[in-house]
Amino acid sequence: MTAATRPPAGADEGRPPSGPAQDQATPSPAGDVGAAETRRSARSGVAGLLGAATSGLFGFVLAVVITRGYGTAGAGAFFAAIGVVTVATAICTLGAETGLMWALPRRTAGVRGDAARILPVALIPPLLAGLLVAGVGVLAADALAPRLLEGSGASGDTLLTVTFAAVPVVVAMTLLLAALRCVRPIRAYVGVQFLLLPVARPVLVGAAALAGGGLLAGMTGWLVPAALALLVCLTLVAGPLGLGRGATLRPRRADWSTFWRFALPRAASAAIDAGSMWVGVLLTSALAGPADAGVFGAVGRYVLAGQLAMQGLRVAVSPQLSRLLGRGERAAAAAVHRQLTTWGLVLSWPVYLLLAVFALAFLQLFGPEFTAGVPAMTVLALAMLVNTGVGNVQSLLLMGGRSGLHLVAAVAGLTVTVSLGLWLIPLYGATGAAVAWAAGIATENLTAAGFARSVVREPLFDAAMVRAAVATVAGVGLAAGVGALVGGRGLPGLAVALAVLLAGCVGMLTLPRVRAGIRGTMRQIRGGNDAAPAAGPAPASTRGR
């Protein structure tokens, strides 16, 4: 049964409804609810986008620091080490981070609420799994380092030991970040996830590279901000949940069963999602060598940076979607999805179209040895048009309680990626890895889109999205064509294309319709501060507000 047809959140989580007002008040009309929810999503979405833009900028700086500081082979080993901790963390969290995003908005925070007691349920099993993986990884580091971190030199075993030892810390940070998004306004989450982590990492890694500290020092610089973020999250989460002020942390038996029935299917799909690129890096390192892995890793950094707009929108509204779908307000949830998909498309497609056309220019920034990744960049950039074009359909599935369907889509994508990778990577190196990943991306997203439509039972696409897609492709395509004709596909051509785009954007601001649309969006954003909707269902008289 989907969360959209579940009983009220209080009954769903094994507790009584929060008050009689919920039963007596009359819900708002569907149209009013949808409009109010899109206003809320607009405010939180803008905050998420600003944070994602900052994260993307500093993620690019980090990629430049790694590639320039350690070369192709060293960068391949560095990216592989990041891949190890990323995939291990995704496996060890057991889906609990998404479980928290799903469960906390349906509970009541504060000293007398029931939100705090979900923390032991969500934290204890993943931390135990993280400690187990860390112990096994440390013991096996000597044997694994020559295979996973080829190019790291004599320090490979020590590098892998430090990487595995950090897994429990990164697991705890990931879970507390999810809790932070649900119990604080989005600006708190943005400050940690999109500012603290991405800004600190290139600074510390760059300092290590300049000091000649090698890969071990660089990886330590990448890991230290996770420990800082963990402490910040713990401090920020404690207050709203009433930790240390008498809030009960003893879960009921129903808390365990309800939470893990949702989270366990998500455990596998989360590992697949987080490891989608890193599986390609590790396969490329094992089947084609560290140089190809370094090229593929550099290409992947660009691809993931372009996805940050969708990520920022997803984390901004996931608790909101959980609340709406938990109450059966599917039309309002679909309205939020359509609005944010249009935003994400307009913001992401220009990035990927430019990456596809001017792949040479972007890779030249890493160094001449990375230009071998031009075909891989073009293939992946085009595949990401599908990913961003369907929107955050995964969030609709997960926040609707259908983690099993999300797992099916993720497994389908992984199967395609690995199957094609084993065939293509030995023959074509980084380009083969890109083709395999691109096919997996398309498979997973189209499958998830079909599932989400059947679950929500509301239109997930509309005419506004089609118009936005056509206008974006036409405008960016024209600018890219002018740039390529005038300056080629290198840096001069990219500069011309960006100049044409800038001139076009300035010209559009003179159109009355465009200015009216901007004014309408700004009215939505100024409508109020988006405090986290965590902590339980609002009275019915305020639903959709």
Side-chain angles (χ1 to χ4, degrees), residues 62-484:
L62 175 62
V64 172
V65 168
I66 293 173
T67 52
R68 289 286 186 177
Y70 298 102
T72 52
F78 203 122
F79 287 133
I82 295 175
V84 168
V85 72
T86 301
V87 174
T89 298
I91 293 172
C92 293
T93 53
L94 304 178
E97 78 282 15
T98 307
L100 285 168
M101 296 276 276
W102 170 73
L104 281 177
R106 306 175 184 219
R107 289 176 171 261
T108 303
V111 174
R112 297 183 179 180
D114 62 348
R117 73 176 194 233
I118 204 68
L119 287 183
V121 176
L123 290 173
I124 291 175
L127 288 177
L128 291 176
L131 290 170
L132 177 62
V133 168
V136 172
V138 168
L139 293 176
D142 291 346
L144 292 175
R147 294 180 177 272
L148 295 179
L149 303 183
E150 184 180 354
S152 59
S155 64
D157 55 344
T158 306
L159 175 61
L160 199 57
T161 297
V162 171
T163 298
F164 274 115
V167 167
V169 175
V170 183
V171 167
M173 178 204 72
T174 302
L175 296 176
L176 288 177
L177 270 171
L180 176 64
R181 173 61 194 101
C182 295
V183 302
R184 290 278 189 178
I186 190 175
R187 60 178 178 269
Y189 178 91
V190 168
V192 179
Q193 175 69 18
F194 291 147
L195 293 178
L196 172 60
L197 287 171
V199 172
R201 278 173 169 161
V203 171
L204 295 180
V205 173
L210 289 175
L215 288 172
L216 179 59
M219 189 63 189
T220 302
W222 189 88
L223 291 170
V224 165
L228 297 176
L230 170 61
L231 296 176
V232 173
C233 287
L234 185 60
T235 302
L236 292 175
V237 166
L241 292 182
L243 301 181
R245 295 187 290 115
T248 179
L249 288 171
R250 179 178 297 177
R252 299 175 183 176
R253 179 177 299 179
D255 294 329
W256 289 91
S257 60
T258 300
F259 184 87
W260 287 107
R261 273 200 307 268
F262 171 86
L264 283 178
R266 174 56 179 156
S269 61
I272 294 169
D273 289 344
S276 56
M277 175 188 133
W278 303 112
V279 166
V281 171
L282 297 175
L283 280 177
T284 305
S285 180
L287 299 177
D292 274 284
V295 170
F296 182 73
V299 169
R301 300 304 294 184
Y302 275 119
V303 171
L304 293 181
Q307 199 177 6
L308 281 172
M310 296 300 293
Q311 180 186 351
L313 293 172
R314 180 173 63 251
V315 299
V317 301
S318 286
Q320 183 183 4
L321 290 175
S322 175
R323 175 172 51 83
L324 291 172
L325 293 172
R327 296 175 182 174
E329 296 174 1
R330 294 189 296 270
V336 169
H337 170 81
R338 290 192 297 268
Q339 172 180 272
L340 296 188
T341 299
T342 303
W343 285 21
L345 185 153
V346 170
L347 293 171
S348 298
W349 277 25
V351 175
Y352 287 121
L353 290 170
L354 290 175
L355 286 175
V357 176
F358 298 104
L360 176 64
F362 286 102
L363 290 171
Q364 283 175 335
L365 298 175
F366 289 154
E369 65 270 33
F370 289 91
T371 56
V374 167
M377 176 89 88
T378 301
V379 167
L380 284 173
L382 294 176
M384 294 305 289
L385 297 179
V386 177
N387 183 14
T388 52
V390 300
N392 283 318
V393 289
Q394 291 88 347
S395 293
L396 283 176
L397 287 175
L398 292 170
M399 296 302 102
R402 301 306 298 269
S403 54
L405 290 179
H406 183 266
L407 174 59
V408 172
V411 168
L414 178 66
T415 301
V416 171
T417 298
V418 174
S419 300
L420 288 179
L422 292 173
W423 173 38
L424 295 175
I425 291 173
L427 298 174
Y428 303 105
T431 302
V435 172
W437 189 19
I441 289 170
T443 300
E444 177 180 349
N445 282 275
L446 293 176
T447 303
F451 286 155
R453 178 64 178 86
S454 67
V455 169
V456 179
R457 300 199 296 273
E458 294 284 345
L460 302 182
F461 304 92
D462 59 13
M465 293 172 58
V466 175
R467 290 193 297 269
V470 171
T472 301
V473 171
V476 178
L478 176 62
V482 172

